[in-house]
Amino acid sequence: MSADASLSSRGMATAAIQAFDWSTTPLGPREEWPVALNTIYETMMASPFAMCAGWGPDLTLLYNEAYVDFLAARHPSALGQPISQVWHDVWDDIHPLIARAMAGEPVHRTDMRLVMTRKGHPEDTYWTFAYSPLRDGPEVVGFLDIAFETTAGVLAGQRRDAAEVSLRDFNTALEEQVAARTRERDSIWRISPDLLVVINGEGYFEAFNPAWTTVLGWNDDELHGTPFADFVHPDDQAATQVVWLDAIERGIPAVRFENRYRHKDGTWRWLSWVGVPDSGKVYGSARDITQDRAQTAILNERTEALRLFRDIVQSDRSPILAFDHSHRVIAFNQAHEEDFRRVMGLQQRVGDVLPDLFPPEQAAGLRSLMDRALAGERFLIVQAFGDPGREVPTWEITYTPLRNAAGQVTGAFHHARDVSERARAQSELAVTQEALRQSQKLEAVGQLTGGVAHDFNNLLTVIKSSTDLLKRPNLTEERRTRYIGAISDTVDRAAKLTGQLLAFARRQALKPETFDASMSVRALADMMGTLTGSRIQITAHLPAEPCWVNADPSQFDTALVNMAVNARDAMDGEGRITITVAAVEQIPPIRTHPEQDAPYVAVSLADNGSGIAPEQLERIFEPFFTTKETGKGTGLGLSQVFGFAKQSGGDITVDSMLGEGTMFTLYLPRVAAPMQAVVHEEPDALVDGHGTRVLVVEDNTEVGTFAVQTLSDLGYVTVLAVDGPAALAELAKGANKFDVVFSDVLMPGMSGVELGQEIRRLYHDLPVVLTSGYSHILAQNGTYGFELLHKPYSIEQLSQILRKAATSQRRKRTKRN
């Protein structure tokens, strides 16, 4: 383009900029522009240098005619547009710099590279520019860009630098070619990994390559002018001398001659030589074969070891047999051949399918064992194999996979031992032990029966005597009240005795709740002082954090009291009891049980009493076993603790030393803190039934009749059913006639639990109250959500639980209606 054309073009650009309608942009009409913006605009338009500005929140673009060349095809549409849209292709590069200018910081860059698309394709461009903040008063409202494109100069410099690099590379390549020609003359001599040497006619080193230093450690000064024989092993001197004379005197080349040369560190290396005589000298080449000879030695050792192993296997008196993946015999020793003939009456042969030689009932098991070994498993089993018509010995067999060098299983072998005598001895021992266990069971049952009979006969004596005295005429009211009280107290003692027996047998229906063991111990510790007496000091060590357990709190308190009473008696009423509660993560091994890893709460009660003799430790939890004098203990206290611990999912340990004291530790599973429970107020005892309708279900005629009469006397309306089906038939006539069902648990056919579940299914709102003196179902699985009244029960307890159930049923009906 000519200078005139360029001026004409620039003039057109200026005219277009000045004619632009700024009212269509966020800047508005020029006559409304602030003074600062007009000043910048006039400055740019008068400047011969390329300038642009971004003004306002959108950084609206203004520029002069010198800036048009930078925009190329973007002009004139770039006027009044946000600068981020105009320069979208380089915005990621320039935006951080513009942001700094808008923050009030001047920014300058020299020869900054920007990839722009100005003429329809992306191109590398280089710029030197300065961004200056523009203010309208104290506030920065835009920025001014004064720019120079330096693309041509930068590219010219790059081409110049590239030419200089090419020239340097050419000179370097030329120098390397000259050096390569120089090295080529002796490359073979110097870079060869083999030891190259020239030995003169007198046997001295004349020339040698660097491999002598690499392989044997000797440098040039140590080798030059030295006889080669000085480095040869003494045992190889004679043979080496023969080969040397053949070469130097008779011109016979040495091929694959091996001898040992001394390394500088004092060790010896094996070398394999080729020596060629020429003009009174020997030109030799040697290769280090030390590693090869070592591997050969190892191979020889393995071969010898294999031969030795074969001899050992053959001499082993235990049967050994190898087989492949088809269960075919591939090898066996003499002992296996003899034993196979003895137990099977057959000659063992290589290639036999081993399981096919055994009876079908044994073949399947043998094939399964062989497959385990062929799958890569090494294991030991004890099993009987043999011809039932001859003898069937018991074998202890070790199966081992056979693997190749790649680790793949190619077969397996078994190593067997006849352990029939040991098996017979173990069987006889097991029979003897079972007989002993049965004898111990009978002894325990006898002791338990005797203890129960003794205690219950004592209780029945009190009851019988009291009833006889009540029959006497002219009995005063004071004596009548005393005899009735004796009967009532004795019944309570009998119920407690039954409860302790059920607790030991883990047949008592517990009422578990989630409670803090530490709080229970703290409450009991204050009460125990009254129980143990003032001469016994009780100390409790309790953790700061709660120790939550899910157990029957009443049984927990009873267990602690029983342990405290046991400690009191062991100290003869004077001493120290220490109770400790702690959160632990495992139960140690106890009796025959292994260690158990799980969260538990450990409650320990230790005394400094007389201790327990070692021979008695295993019996202290047996019911009615006691070391106390007659009349001073029932022998049921610790059995209750034991049964409660087991039924609650825990255990109990005892550590004792004669003369120093005893510590019992009760372990109960630790649980998470409970949700806030809703407290239900217990109803008062129901003195009058007020017509409450009860369906009584009891298979025992006497008990059922008594219950119906008792409830009738209290004002209840009762119907008696003798079993579960009869109760369901009565309900089918009209379940709305009853407010509550009162059923025994243990009944022939349908149990009380099964009856309650069927009533729950058919008559959702009809409450069921269960009663039981003993039920293994409730002991194992709980009450299934039913109310439970333990036998023996008082009239007050029966009245209270029936009122509670009937009240709940009425509330549900009222809410539904």
Side-chain angles (χ1 to χ4, degrees):
M1 180 183 295
S2 67
D4 292 339
S6 177
L7 289 172
S8 174
S9 175
R10 286 178 178 267
M12 293 174 62
T14 299
I17 294 171
Q18 290 178 339
F20 183 72
D21 184 7
W22 293 100
S23 64
T24 61
T25 71
L27 301 182
R30 276 204 58 194
E31 55 270 18
E32 296 179 6
W33 284 4
V35 174
L37 178 58
N38 266 310
T39 301
I40 290 299
Y41 178 80
E42 295 295 342
T43 300
M44 287 194 304
M45 296 303 293
S47 174
F49 301 107
M51 301 174 69
C52 75
W55 188 275
D58 296 333
L59 294 180
T60 303
L61 182 64
L62 307 89
Y63 52 85
N64 63 4
E65 64 179 2
Y67 194 79
V68 171
D69 290 342
F70 300 164
L71 290 168
R74 303 174 199 247
H75 173 74
S77 60
L79 280 169
Q81 298 298 315
I83 195 169
S84 59
Q85 295 181 13
V86 175
W87 293 118
H88 60 85
D89 47 348
V90 295
W91 183 247
D92 290 342
D93 297 315
I94 65 175
H95 176 255
L97 304 177
I98 293 174
R100 289 169 57 184
M102 293 299 294
E105 175 188 355
V107 179
H108 175 266
R109 287 291 182 272
T110 301
D111 294 337
M112 180 175 176
R113 178 177 174 268
L114 296 174
V115 179
M116 289 184 176
T117 303
R118 298 184 297 180
K119 301 174 182 178
H121 59 84
E123 59 179 326
D124 285 348
T125 64
Y126 295 86
W127 301 86
T128 295
F129 57 87
Y131 291 161
S132 301
L134 296 178
R135 289 180 168 83
D136 187 7
E139 182 183 0
V140 176
V141 294
F143 76 97
L144 176 65
D145 174 21
I146 301 176
F148 300 92
E149 183 173 3
T150 60
T151 303
V154 171
L155 294 180
Q158 290 176 351
R159 288 192 293 271
R160 183 177 61 254
D161 293 343
E164 291 177 356
V165 170
S166 297
L167 181 60
R168 284 197 301 270
D169 290 345
F170 175 77
N171 291 334
T172 301
L174 184 61
E175 291 172 356
E176 288 180 352
Q177 288 180 6
V178 174
R181 293 191 185 95
T182 303
R183 291 193 301 271
E184 189 175 1
R185 294 191 297 268
D186 58 352
S187 60
I188 296 177
W189 177 264
R190 292 201 170 275
I191 68 174
S192 174
D194 294 338
L195 292 86
L196 305 179
V197 65
V198 178
I199 303 176
N200 64 20
E202 287 75 35
Y204 288 83
F205 285 108
E206 186 173 289
F208 34 80
N209 69 341
W212 282 86
T213 301
T214 304
V215 177
L216 294 177
W218 303 107
N219 59 38
D220 294 357
D221 294 337
E222 292 166 330
L223 293 173
H224 197 277
T226 305
F228 77 88
D230 289 355
F231 297 90
V232 178
H233 193 284
D235 294 344
D236 299 336
Q237 287 283 355
T240 302
Q241 188 65 22
V242 170
V243 173
W244 165 254
L245 292 175
D246 283 346
I248 200 67
E249 295 182 359
R250 289 180 284 277
I252 300 174
V255 181
R256 292 187 180 177
F257 171 68
E258 297 178 1
N259 62 2
R260 283 165 287 184
Y261 261 65
R262 179 162 47 91
H263 193 282
K264 189 173 182 178
D265 62 9
T267 60
W268 297 94
R269 310 290 294 180
W270 279 97
L271 303 180
S272 177
W273 287 96
V274 173
V276 179
D278 183 31
S279 303
K281 299 179 182 180
V282 174
Y283 295 83
S285 173
R287 182 170 59 89
D288 185 359
I289 60 169
T290 307
Q291 190 65 30
D292 295 341
R293 289 184 66 96
Q295 291 177 352
T296 301
I298 292 173
L299 181 60
N300 292 336
E301 290 175 1
R302 289 179 178 174
T303 302
E304 178 62 21
L306 184 60
R307 183 192 63 76
L308 182 61
F309 175 73
R310 182 191 61 206
D311 293 344
I312 291 174
V313 168
Q314 285 298 339
S315 63
D316 196 319
R317 299 180 62 182
S318 300
I320 299 175
L321 176 141
F323 52 90
D324 62 15
H325 280 277
S326 299
H327 306 133
R328 295 185 181 277
V329 177
I330 56 177
F332 52 86
N333 67 349
Q334 184 177 351
H336 185 277
E337 182 178 14
E338 294 172 354
D339 270 338
F340 195 81
R341 188 184 304 111
R342 172 173 64 88
V343 301
M344 295 300 296
L346 299 173
Q347 182 69 37
Q348 183 71 76
R349 295 175 302 178
V350 172
D352 286 339
V353 177
L354 188 62
D356 292 350
L357 304 178
F358 287 82
E361 61 274 12
Q362 297 180 21
L366 180 59
R367 195 180 301 274
S368 175
L369 294 172
M370 297 171 76
D371 286 340
R372 286 174 58 186
L374 291 168
E377 181 181 356
R378 187 181 188 278
F379 60 96
L380 181 145
I381 60 103
V382 176
Q383 198 157 350
F385 287 107
D387 184 356
R390 301 172 67 86
E391 61 174 311
V392 184
T394 300
W395 302 95
E396 182 182 81
I397 308 175
T398 300
Y399 283 86
T400 305
L402 296 174
R403 301 179 184 273
N404 59 19
Q408 299 169 325
V409 177
T410 58
F413 70 85
H414 72 220
H415 189 174
R417 286 197 305 132
D418 188 343
V419 294
S420 301
E421 289 298 325
R422 188 182 74 185
R424 277 191 289 271
Q426 289 175 339
S427 177
E428 293 171 0
L429 177 61
V431 172
T432 303
Q433 289 175 334
E434 180 60 25
L436 177 60
R437 280 193 293 270
Q438 292 297 330
S439 174
Q440 290 172 336
K441 284 183 181 179
L442 291 175
E443 181 183 355
V445 170
Q447 179 176 322
L448 177 61
T449 304
V452 172
H454 172 77
D455 279 13
F456 267 100
N457 281 333
N458 288 338
L459 299 172
L460 291 173
T461 299
V462 175
I463 296 174
K464 177 63 176 173
S465 300
S466 298
T467 56
D468 288 345
L469 290 171
L470 285 171
K471 295 176 183 178
R472 297 180 64 185
N474 303 321
L475 192 66
T476 66
E477 185 63 27
E478 183 271 331
R479 288 190 176 182
R480 179 176 176 276
T481 302
R482 181 165 17 113
Y483 298 150
I484 291 175
I487 293 173
S488 179
D489 291 343
T490 304
V491 169
D492 290 340
R493 290 168 57 195
K496 182 179 179 181
L497 176 62
T498 304
Q500 289 176 317
L501 288 170
L502 292 176
F504 167 75
R506 287 170 262 169
R507 292 296 186 269
Q508 188 174 35
L510 301 180
K511 296 181 179 179
E513 299 177 10
T514 299
F515 63 93
D516 180 8
S518 298
M519 293 295 293
S520 294
V521 170
R522 179 179 289 109
L524 277 174
D526 297 335
M527 181 271 292
M528 284 183 184
T530 304
L531 180 71
T532 58
S534 60
R535 293 187 301 158
I536 292 180
Q537 177 187 354
I538 298 178
T539 305
H541 298 294
L542 306 177
E545 298 296 327
C547 290
W548 299 102
V549 296
N550 185 256
D552 189 321
S554 176
Q555 289 291 314
F556 177 79
D557 293 348
T558 301
L560 288 181
V561 169
N562 284 337
M563 288 193 290
V565 169
N566 194 71
R568 177 199 64 187
D569 295 342
M571 295 185 294
D572 197 19
E574 183 175 2
R576 183 177 66 255
I577 294 177
T578 302
I579 307 175
T580 305
V581 179
V584 298
E585 301 303 325
Q586 63 180 15
I587 294 183
I590 302 176
R591 294 173 286 277
T592 60
H593 304 302
E595 177 182 291
Q596 300 181 51
D597 293 328
Y600 287 90
V601 173
V603 182
S604 301
L605 190 145
D607 65 64
N608 60 344
S610 58
I612 304 172
E615 63 272 12
Q616 296 174 343
L617 282 174
E618 294 184 0
R619 302 193 61 194
I620 59 175
F621 296 117
E622 296 177 8
F624 298 107
F625 176 79
T626 180
T627 60
K628 301 172 185 176
E629 299 177 11
T630 303
K632 290 191 176 181
T634 64
L636 287 175
L638 291 180
S639 68
Q640 180 271 337
V641 181
F642 178 84
F644 165 67
K646 288 291 189 179
Q647 195 171 351
S648 301
D651 215 325
I652 184 170
T653 63
V654 56
D655 295 295
S656 184
M657 185 171 293
L658 281 175
E660 295 189 12
T662 303
M663 181 173 72
F664 289 92
T665 301
L666 174 65
Y667 291 94
L668 295 175
R670 193 165 81 244
V671 299
M675 301 292 290
Q676 186 66 35
V678 179
V679 179
H680 297 286
E681 184 178 352
E682 289 291 335
D684 296 332
L686 182 61
V687 178
D688 192 332
H690 295 292
T692 300
R693 300 162 297 175
V694 184
L695 176 60
V696 179
V697 188
E698 174 60 66
D699 64 303
N700 186 292
T701 304
E702 291 78 7
V703 176
T705 301
F706 180 78
V708 168
Q709 291 175 348
T710 301
L711 290 173
S712 297
D713 290 343
L714 290 176
Y716 290 86
V717 178
T718 59
V719 174
L720 176 63
V722 297
D723 56 23
L728 291 174
E730 191 67 36
L731 291 172
K733 298 176 184 177
N736 289 333
K737 296 188 301 182
F738 299 101
D739 296 308
V740 63
V741 176
F742 181 55
S743 174
D744 191 18
V745 173
L746 290 181
M747 296 185 296
M750 178 180 285
S751 71
V753 173
E754 293 170 334
L755 172 62
Q757 290 174 327
E758 186 65 10
I759 292 174
R760 181 182 285 166
R761 185 181 69 84
L762 296 173
Y763 315 105
H764 309 289
D765 296 336
L766 183 58
V768 176
V769 176
L770 301 179
T771 182
S772 176
Y774 156 73
S775 172
H776 68 282
I777 298 175
L778 298 182
Q780 292 174 354
N781 304 314
T783 64
Y784 294 90
F786 298 113
E787 293 287 346
L788 175 66
L789 184 62
H790 288 280
K791 294 180 181 179
Y793 50 79
S794 67
I795 295 301
E796 289 79 6
Q797 290 173 327
L798 175 60
S799 172
Q800 186 181 58
I801 198 167
L802 289 178
R803 180 183 175 187
K804 178 181 177 182
T807 302
S808 174
Q809 188 254 16
R810 291 192 186 103
R811 287 173 179 169
K812 290 180 180 178
R813 286 182 179 176
T814 301
K815 184 177 181 180
R816 186 174 62 249
N817 295 332

